[in-house]
């Protein structure tokens, strides 16, 4: 395909009107996927809600992963706790951020680094520790993004964000959670 054909194809796929997905911050606890349904997508994201819904089907053991969903409120609290929303707004308002791809890539990389080094509120650290203890000792844990702007009607966000495997020798699981949080700024 020519570049023009590719551009035309993607232009046809783009929604014609902006979408503002619902974000419910009222849920403030990590929940097992087995307790969730698709109706929880506004609190934990479409991917987690879809996996939870798959768990309701009569599939062979091990086909659907067992795990937990960290609600949007954790990300929101982390961002507020560190003043990252204000930093993001300032970056997005920089004229060169919008007009210069090299600047944009550099600034996003710097911002992701700041998020990966960000301070986790104590109550989140406690909740993450409790969740981590629910897994067998020595098990590596896969952390995947699940946002409210993936898999919207007419828009697939597959591959936008990064997943991480947290290995037992990496310390507190908050390290990998911060990496997933940072990947929202890819």
């Amino acid at each position: 395909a020519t570049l023009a054909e590719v551009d035309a194809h993607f232009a046809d796929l783009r929604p014609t009107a902006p979408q503002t997905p619902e974000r419910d911050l009222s849920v403030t606890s990590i929940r097992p996927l087995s307790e969730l349904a698709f109706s929880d997508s506004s609190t934990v994201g479409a991917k987690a809600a879809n996996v939870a819904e798959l768990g309701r089907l009569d599939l062979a053991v091990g086909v659907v992963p067992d795990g937990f969903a960290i609600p949007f409120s954790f990300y929101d609290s982390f961002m507020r706790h560190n003043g990252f929303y204000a930093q993001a707004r300032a970056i997005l308002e920089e004229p060169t951020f919008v007009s210069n791809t090299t600047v944009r890539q550099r600034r996003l990389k710097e911002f992701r680094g700041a998020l990966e080094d960000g301070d986790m509120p104590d109550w989140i650290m406690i909740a993450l520790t409790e969740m981590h203890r629910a897994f067998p000792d020595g098990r590596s844990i896969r952390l995947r993004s699940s946002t409210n702007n993936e898999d919207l009607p007419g828009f697939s966000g597959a591959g936008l964000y990064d997943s991480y495997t947290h290995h037992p020798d990496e310390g507190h699981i908050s390290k990998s959670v911060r990496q997933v949080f940072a990947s929202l700024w890819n």
Side-chain angles (χ1 to χ4, degrees), residues 77-154:
S77 293
F78 170 75
M79 293 293 284
R80 289 179 191 284
H81 180 77
N82 289 282
F84 287 141
Y85 283 135
Q87 289 178 37
R89 274 190 295 280
I91 291 168
L92 294 171
E93 291 172 0
E94 294 172 9
T96 56
F97 178 86
V98 174
S99 65
N100 186 311
T101 302
T102 303
V103 170
R104 185 170 45 257
Q105 288 173 342
R106 179 179 50 80
R107 294 294 282 135
L108 287 173
K109 182 178 181 179
E110 292 168 356
F111 190 57
R112 286 191 305 271
L115 269 70
E116 288 176 8
D117 293 335
D119 182 49
M120 209 51 100
D122 290 341
W123 70 270
I124 292 178
M125 290 294 285
I126 292 166
L128 292 174
T129 299
E130 189 175 304
M131 176 199 69
H132 197 180
R133 286 185 185 142
F135 291 94
D137 286 341
R139 176 178 287 176
S140 294
I141 301 168
R142 188 74 172 158
L143 288 92
R144 306 209 44 194
S145 67
S146 180
T147 70
N148 61 346
N149 62 356
E150 291 177 291
D151 304 327
L152 297 172

